[in-house]
């Protein structure tokens, strides 16, 4: 349901399996529940769940739903829609699917993981009369600013919908503040988690930063830890409290 290996393993032990493709029901199970993860899913996935007779539980994050709705809105209003994020990320996959469903021309939906990706289609962008932007909820605000600086001079009409999650922005700002007071920052959380990896990216230019998934990885950085006077700890949104507490306890022992 979230990008955290420990949580996924715990769910697996409870009998909640992660699948990429929904299996056909063989009739032996009286009831079967399919949960949509927090990143959301395309409308085709929802239809597949219903058609195969599963009970549907939609746990898409409300903030992610807002991005989907805004992308649909831009598509219906015939904007060239730019989705800022990583094309392969499940949240972006779903957003893109919804935008394309309502677009008159599916080629006018573009996912950009960097400003460089936009520069590659600059001739196309200059011809567009209307450009609309949404952004993956866990992206950095700095990325959005870079895109705006690039697009503003070459756009005829530019509509920006800042869909970065408020919790993500707050977490990033607090982590920056903490990093300025620390000579070592520890970011705890899954390396598959976008918001966690972005935290590490944001903090690295400010102070020495290490990204770990759990307390066991601290053994690889004992020299760094011993030499640090002020250590700051932050974590991704999907990192369970018990992992953060284990990291704190392990640091005390080191």
């Amino acid at each position: 349901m979230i990008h955290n290996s420990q949580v996924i393993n715990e769910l697996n032990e409870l009998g909640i399996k992660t699948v990429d493709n929904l299996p056909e029901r063989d009739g032996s199970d009286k009831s079967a529940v399919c949960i949509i993860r927090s990143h959301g899913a395309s409308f085709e996935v929802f239809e597949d769940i219903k058609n195969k007779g599963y009970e549907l539980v939609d746990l898409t994050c409300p903030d992610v739903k807002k991005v989907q709705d805004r992308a649909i809105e831009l598509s219906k209003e015939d904007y060239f829609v730019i989705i800022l994020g990583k094309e392969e990320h499940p949240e972006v996959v779903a957003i893109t699917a919804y935008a394309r469903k309502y677009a008159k021309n599916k080629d006018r939906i573009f996912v950009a993981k960097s400003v460089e990706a936009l520069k590659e289609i600059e001739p196309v962008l200059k011809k567009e009369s209307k450009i609309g932007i949404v952004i993956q909820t866990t992206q950095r605000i700095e990325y959005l600013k870079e895109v705006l600086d690039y697009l503003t001079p070459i756009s005829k009409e530019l509509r920006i919908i800042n869909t970065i999650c408020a919790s993500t922005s707050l977490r990033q700002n607090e982590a920056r503040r903490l990093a300025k007071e620390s000579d070592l920052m520890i970011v705890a959380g899954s390396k598959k988690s976008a918001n966690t990896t972005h935290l590490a990216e944001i903090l690295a230019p400010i102070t020495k930063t290490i990204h770990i998934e759990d307390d066991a990885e601290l053994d690889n950085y004992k020299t760094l830890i011993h030499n640090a006077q002020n250590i700051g700890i932050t974590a991704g949104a999907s990192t369970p409290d018990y992992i953060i507490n284990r990291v704190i306890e392990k640091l005390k022992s080191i």
Side-chain angles (χ1 to χ4, degrees), residues 35-253:
I35 301 168
I36 297 293
R37 60 184 165 188
S38 60
H39 303 104
S42 68
F43 59 92
E44 290 96 345
V45 172
F46 279 87
E47 286 300 308
D48 190 34
I49 292 169
K50 293 174 184 175
N51 292 338
K52 289 179 177 175
Y54 286 85
E55 180 184 344
L56 173 65
V57 177
D58 185 6
L59 294 186
T60 305
C61 170
D63 287 323
V64 173
K65 280 188 178 291
K66 288 177 185 176
V67 191
Q68 294 173 356
D69 290 341
R70 297 292 82 77
I72 290 170
E73 181 183 313
L74 290 172
S75 284
K76 287 182 174 179
E77 295 179 10
D78 202 29
Y79 279 83
F80 183 96
V81 181
I82 298 174
I83 302 164
L84 303 182
K86 295 182 178 178
E87 191 170 16
E88 68 279 6
H89 191 281
E91 178 188 329
V92 176
V93 170
I95 295 165
T96 305
Y98 283 106
R100 284 186 174 148
K101 181 181 179 182
Y102 293 94
K104 294 177 182 177
N105 182 347
K106 291 176 173 49
D107 291 334
R108 295 179 70 242
I109 311 298
F110 187 78
V111 179
K113 66 178 180 179
S114 65
V115 173
E116 285 66 34
L118 291 171
K119 289 179 179 178
E120 291 177 8
I121 61 164
E122 185 171 306
V124 173
L125 296 174
K126 285 182 174 179
K127 291 178 182 178
E128 287 293 338
S129 59
K130 300 196 301 183
I131 297 174
I133 296 174
V134 293
I135 183 166
Q136 183 182 341
T137 58
T138 52
Q139 278 289 334
R140 300 174 297 116
I141 190 69
E142 289 85 357
Y143 176 36
L144 180 57
K145 290 176 180 176
E146 289 170 12
V147 169
L148 296 186
D149 286 344
Y150 166 67
L151 286 178
T152 301
I154 66 171
S155 302
K156 298 178 179 70
E157 178 184 333
L158 186 60
R159 183 177 176 192
I160 308 104
I161 305 174
N162 181 2
T163 49
I164 296 175
C165 167
S167 175
T168 296
S169 297
L170 178 62
R171 189 182 303 269
Q172 291 175 356
N173 290 335
E174 287 296 299
R176 284 190 192 92
R177 180 189 59 76
L178 191 59
K180 292 174 183 177
E181 302 169 359
S182 308
D183 50 6
L184 175 64
M185 282 295 294
I186 296 173
V187 180
S190 174
K191 289 170 184 175
K192 293 181 180 180
S193 163
N195 78 84
T196 311
T197 54
H198 287 147
L199 275 175
E201 292 168 0
I202 288 167
L203 302 179
I206 301 173
T207 190
K208 192 173 290 295
T209 302
I210 57 175
H211 180 182
I212 60 170
E213 291 214 345
D214 55 35
D215 55 298
E217 288 187 52
L218 289 173
D219 290 332
N220 301 326
Y221 302 99
K222 283 188 175 180
T223 302
L224 269 179
I225 293 166
H226 279 300
N227 293 335
Q229 298 301 309
N230 295 298
I231 300 175
I233 304 170
T234 187
S238 58
T239 308
D241 287 348
Y242 72 83
I243 290 181
I244 301 169
N245 292 332
R246 284 179 187 174
V247 169
I248 294 169
E249 294 305 312
K250 183 70 173 280
L251 284 170
K252 289 178 180 177
S253 70

